[in-house]
Amino acid sequence: MATFAVRFLGCKVSHTDAHAIRERLLLDGHTESATPGDIAVVNTCCVTNEAVSKSRQAASRAARTHSRVYVTGCAANLTDAFHGLPANVAVVPGPSEQTPSFIAGDVGAIGCVQSEARLDRVRAFVKVQDGCSFSCNFCVIPLVRGSSRSRRAAAVLSEIRRRVEQGHREVVLTGINLGCYRDREAGYKLGRLVREAAETPGLERLRLSSIEVNHVDDELVRTLRETPHVSRHLHVPLQSGDDGVLRAMGRRYSAQTYLRRLEPLSDFNLTTDVIVGFPAEDEAAFANTLRLVEAAGISKVHVFPYSPRPGTKTEADDTVPPPVKKDRSARLRAASQAACERRWRTKLGTEDAVLVDRPRRGYGDDYSPWFLEGDARVGQLVRARAAKVTTEGIVGVV
């Protein structure tokens, strides 16, 4: 029997990939441990240079406390990203679907000893799709994740039932390009999958992790509005609010298209990603991004200073000075903070259902953060009334 630890860096898809490895090792009879032990798995990220650096650091730390370290995930598919690490570090490239079996085979199973692997978080992330068949000029994901591919609908719905039976009140459907989900043989697109997933007995909340704006069509809008238990939150990456920058990025939509597609969901909590300091971005282009974020009614903006990625069309381009990127990032984060607080203040005096995922903390139906006063145990879905707003979220009384 081996003791093991699994850590992930990056997005929710990375989290689901890391859990798949964890689940396989538990099923094979091994024991999870928070202390130094036999096996460590570091599921990595490569969306920026900083993410790769943090992934290397995590692998290096794990090598000092564990006998064997497996480096998996996106950065594992970059050439020489982990060159020079200790000999007990093994880099495992390849499709994420194959990684759990590879590591399990290398570690070895213990007879027929098996243990069910409950997810380690209150909400369950269920991956339905992986990879991307579009190649934005700045993006390394198609190179490290491969082309778009989807799980069979029956397997997805079965996993959702299993997670709910384990006690998870909320399920988040995740994917690299979620709107590309297809099970052609069974006749499923994303809308049908969402509707049938929401019918799972015992499921109280269903949410999409992220979706490209070109996939926010009339069918999806109807699905989100008409399907019970679907959260009133949608994360729609923007990257830039300037048409010139969007063209240089290869993003396949305009600023006006972004606004038009999201207009039917103006009452949802809309969140987004923005890249600051892309080579084509001047001050006027950045101002357009600020205006579009406000016009779209977006609250939370995840800000990423541009970082050239190896193998992409813009890998040799990085023309915006770091101090300018830093300044624009700070201004956009400040605008995001102000937008969040405006949205939170609209909830004062109203009630919401809050899923408690940490002691006295949780998220409302629209994924607004709540700080709770009263009886609220981790794992519960409680009713809370908004009493005041802080810079971190809504203070509510259970």
Side-chain angles (χ1 to χ4, degrees):
M1 180 184 296
T3 59
F4 72 90
V6 178
R7 182 189 176 191
F8 80 97
L9 295 89
C11 65
K12 294 177 178 65
V13 176
S14 177
H15 172 256
T16 61
D17 291 343
H19 178 74
I21 299 169
R22 171 178 175 260
E23 185 172 45
R24 177 57 187 270
L25 291 174
L26 286 171
L27 286 170
D28 281 355
H30 303 293
T31 302
E32 192 169 21
S33 174
T35 60
D38 302 313
I39 304 297
V41 179
V42 180
N43 204 65
T44 61
C45 178
C46 67
V47 69
T48 62
N49 288 329
E50 183 181 7
V52 176
S53 177
K54 288 182 176 179
S55 296
R56 277 186 61 91
Q57 292 169 10
S60 181
R61 286 194 298 269
R64 294 193 293 268
T65 56
H66 292 78
S67 300
R68 279 181 287 173
V69 177
Y70 296 94
V71 174
T72 62
C74 289
N77 288 285
L78 293 178
T79 303
D80 295 332
F82 297 93
H83 179 73
L85 289 182
N88 63 332
V89 176
V91 179
V92 184
S96 60
E97 299 94 322
Q98 299 175 10
T99 305
S101 294
F102 176 87
I103 293 177
D106 203 50
V107 174
I110 304 173
C112 59
V113 177
Q114 294 189 333
S115 173
E116 182 182 53
R118 187 185 189 278
L119 290 177
D120 56 351
R121 295 189 174 190
V122 168
R123 58 183 50 83
F125 297 96
V126 175
K127 185 168 74 170
V128 308
Q129 181 273 345
D130 203 343
C132 184
S133 297
F134 302 100
S135 295
C136 296
N137 295 338
F138 60 88
C139 186
V140 74
I141 295 302
L143 301 177
V144 298
R145 284 274 180 181
S147 59
S148 179
R149 54 204 185 273
S150 302
R151 292 177 66 190
R152 299 300 301 270
V156 172
L157 296 172
S158 176
E159 181 178 352
I160 292 172
R161 286 193 295 270
R162 180 159 57 95
R163 298 309 180 196
V164 173
E165 289 167 0
Q166 290 174 336
H168 300 284
R169 315 294 287 276
E170 176 181 322
V171 167
V172 184
L173 302 183
T174 70
I176 294 298
N177 199 331
L178 199 56
C180 290
Y181 178 81
R182 299 288 189 279
D183 182 347
R184 289 183 172 84
E185 186 174 332
Y188 280 81
K189 294 172 64 176
L190 182 62
R192 180 182 175 188
L193 184 71
V194 168
R195 290 179 186 272
E196 294 192 15
E199 294 174 357
T200 304
L203 178 65
E204 299 194 55
R205 185 178 291 169
L206 181 70
R207 189 158 53 87
L208 304 184
S209 62
S210 177
I211 191 163
E212 295 292 331
V213 74
N214 287 333
H215 294 133
V216 183
D217 55 16
D218 292 342
E219 178 188 357
L220 182 65
V221 170
R222 284 195 301 272
T223 298
L224 297 177
R225 289 208 169 277
E226 296 172 359
T227 307
H229 309 305
V230 170
S231 173
R232 294 302 188 257
H233 164 249
L234 201 61
H235 185 84
V236 188
L238 170 63
Q239 309 307 1
S240 175
D242 179 81
D243 285 343
V245 175
L246 289 171
R247 286 192 295 271
M249 289 178 166
R251 288 294 287 168
R252 301 177 180 85
Y253 56 83
S254 67
Q256 190 58 42
T257 298
Y258 189 91
L259 288 171
R260 177 172 51 81
R261 293 272 183 150
L262 294 187
E263 187 176 5
L265 298 172
S266 59
D267 56 325
F268 275 47
N269 183 23
L270 301 173
T271 60
T272 197
D273 299 328
V274 169
I275 295 173
V276 168
F278 190 76
E281 183 186 78
D282 56 16
E283 186 60 31
F286 176 69
N288 285 337
T289 296
L290 287 174
R291 281 192 289 270
L292 191 145
V293 165
E294 181 176 2
I298 289 166
S299 57
K300 180 67 175 180
V301 181
H302 299 274
V303 181
F304 297 89
Y306 171 71
S307 180
R309 309 313 304 130
T312 64
K313 292 182 180 179
T314 60
E315 67 172 317
D317 301 327
D318 192 11
T319 57
V320 179
V324 176
K325 291 182 188 178
K326 183 177 181 180
D327 173 69
R328 291 177 186 168
S329 296
R331 288 156 60 192
L332 185 53
R333 290 188 179 107
S336 170
Q337 178 67 29
C340 283
E341 291 181 28
R342 283 197 299 272
R343 181 175 182 83
W344 299 338
R345 282 194 291 270
T346 67
K347 296 180 178 295
L348 289 173
T350 67
E351 289 189 358
D352 200 355
V354 180
L355 179 63
V356 186
D357 60 1
R358 286 166 289 175
R360 306 178 74 85
R361 297 183 64 175
Y363 287 89
D365 177 72
D366 69 349
Y367 207 53
S368 291
W370 285 68
F371 297 81
L372 300 171
E373 298 176 352
D375 183 18
R377 295 186 296 276
V378 173
Q380 283 186 314
L381 195 66
V382 301
R383 297 293 302 180
R385 178 173 289 274
K388 64 179 180 179
V389 167
T390 71
T391 56
E392 295 184 326
I394 303 162
V395 177
V397 179
V398 177

